[in-house]
Amino acid sequence: MTSRTRPLLGLATLVAGIGTAGSLYFSLGLGLVPCELCWYQRILLYPLVVVLGVATLEDRPGVARTVLPLSLLGLGVATYHVVLQVRPSVGGTCSVGGGCSSILYPMLDGLLTIPRLSLIAFVLVTALVTASWRLRGRAWP
């Protein structure tokens, strides 16, 4: 029964890996300086690649206990960051890279921004890990 969870964990690993590679490309490849909220999101996303990778190899859907605190915190930070970009009048700012409300690299005519990509990654990781846990057939701890 737990073998059905491995593809979900693998997909969550892939999402976290793409998010990590993308963030490194934006900073190292394009030379964009991450703001403070971007750093927090990176701190919460990067370990997920390793944790989810090991859980995928060992087929451990119980990794939800480790992943969900990180992904839910990342989801919260990314949501706040998106709110700051949509409504800069909220007043939250940070000092690195021009402020958290600035849009440094808009994609698809501004529909996708770096914080929105981060939000999508955290939503997907959270959903996939939750689905793998539920496929396991146990209630939440």
Side-chain angles (χ1 to χ4, degrees):
M1 180 169 185
T2 58
S3 64
R4 296 185 309 169
T5 63
R6 185 171 275 165
L8 293 172
L9 293 173
L11 194 53
T13 304
L14 181 64
V15 168
I18 290 171
T20 297
S23 73
L24 290 172
Y25 172 73
F26 287 133
S27 61
L28 300 175
L30 297 178
L32 299 176
V33 178
C35 71
E36 189 173 328
L37 291 178
C38 289
W39 279 115
Y40 293 140
Q41 291 165 74
R42 287 175 177 211
I43 289 167
L44 295 165
L45 181 66
Y46 288 8
L48 293 180
V49 178
V50 175
V51 171
L52 285 166
V54 170
T56 301
L57 292 174
E58 296 180 356
D59 195 17
R60 292 182 181 232
V63 75
R65 286 185 224 122
T66 304
V67 170
L68 288 179
L70 295 171
S71 67
L72 289 172
L73 279 170
L75 192 86
V77 173
T79 300
Y80 177 66
H81 201 170
V82 169
V83 168
L84 287 180
Q85 283 193 326
V86 173
R87 300 190 137 227
S89 61
V90 170
T93 60
C94 59
S95 59
V96 182
C100 293
S101 63
S102 63
I103 298 175
L104 297 177
Y105 194 76
M107 295 155 269
L108 296 177
D109 291 327
L111 179 64
L112 288 179
T113 62
I114 295 171
R116 287 181 184 164
L117 290 172
S118 175
L119 179 63
I120 291 167
F122 282 116
V123 165
L124 288 173
V125 166
T126 301
L128 289 165
V129 169
T130 300
S132 74
W133 180 271
R134 296 190 60 88
L135 272 177
R136 184 178 185 204
R138 288 190 186 173
W140 289 96

